[in-house]
Amino acid sequence: MTATDRSIELVTAAAQAAADRLAHDIIAYDVSDVLSITDAFLLASAPNDRQVKSIVDEIEERLNKDLGAKPVRREGDRDARWILLDYVDIVVHVQHSEERVFYALERLWKDCPELPLPEDAVKTRGKAEEHARLTGVDGAEGAAGPAASDGELS
């Protein structure tokens, strides 16, 4: 079984929305062969809580406006460290960079095929490391970005 055309359409639109809000390291996996509850996961991150919320709001608005899709569940708003949008066909995870490094969802889904994404989304790969370098923090903790201010968005 593979992700449906609708799932791919949702993932593509959500990835573009996330890229437009300067998300880092956007990637999508076709999890339809290993999970029965959804077809795809979209992962993205940001170096601060405010940007996490901004990315999620843009994804939700774009999918609703352009594709008539509303999430059946939205979790994690309170702390904005890891917000999950469940669209049934896809699940979107937008994480603070620290949570992205700690939970390493890519490790869990690495055996699932990656879904193609818009060029803007693909260009975000490695942005967390680049941000860490620019803020003067190294290694895995660097991706966490504790030195980043709330005003920095890239």
Side-chain angles (χ1 to χ4, degrees):
M1 188 162 138
T2 60
T4 65
D5 290 342
R6 176 66 172 172
S7 298
I8 292 169
E9 179 182 42
L10 291 168
V11 161
T12 301
Q16 184 62 55
D20 290 348
R21 289 290 181 197
L22 306 177
H24 295 172
D25 301 316
I26 302 168
I27 192 165
Y29 293 101
D30 180 340
V31 296
S32 61
D33 283 341
V34 294
L35 290 177
S36 61
I37 58 171
T38 192
D39 283 349
F41 279 168
L42 178 72
L43 310 175
S45 56
N48 61 66
D49 302 350
R50 187 171 26 180
Q51 191 175 356
V52 167
K53 281 190 102 129
S54 176
I55 293 164
V56 168
D57 290 345
E58 183 67 19
I59 291 170
E60 195 168 11
E61 182 179 323
R62 186 92 49 97
L63 293 186
N64 186 22
K65 180 181 165 195
D66 296 349
L67 302 173
K70 292 183 179 181
V72 296
R73 191 173 74 207
R74 180 175 169 153
E75 294 183 6
D77 273 327
R78 185 172 172 191
D79 296 328
R81 303 287 294 178
W82 180 349
I83 299 178
L84 178 143
L85 295 173
D86 183 352
Y87 286 91
V88 179
D89 294 320
I90 71 167
V91 176
V92 177
H93 300 268
V94 182
Q95 298 174 297
H96 188 288
S97 298
E98 290 174 352
E99 272 64 21
R100 181 84 178 255
V101 170
F102 183 79
Y103 290 102
L105 294 179
E106 291 92 340
R107 224 181 21 204
L108 294 173
W109 307 109
K110 69 180 180 215
D111 293 333
C112 295
E114 277 188 47
L115 291 170
L117 296 177
E119 186 177 333
D120 290 342
V122 173
K123 288 180 183 177
T124 67
R125 306 275 171 87
K127 287 287 185 184
E129 288 180 28
E130 179 183 333
H131 182 268
R133 238 185 352 269
L134 293 173
T135 58
V137 183
D138 297 331
E141 290 187 31
S149 71
D150 281 345
E152 286 183 31
L153 295 180
S154 58

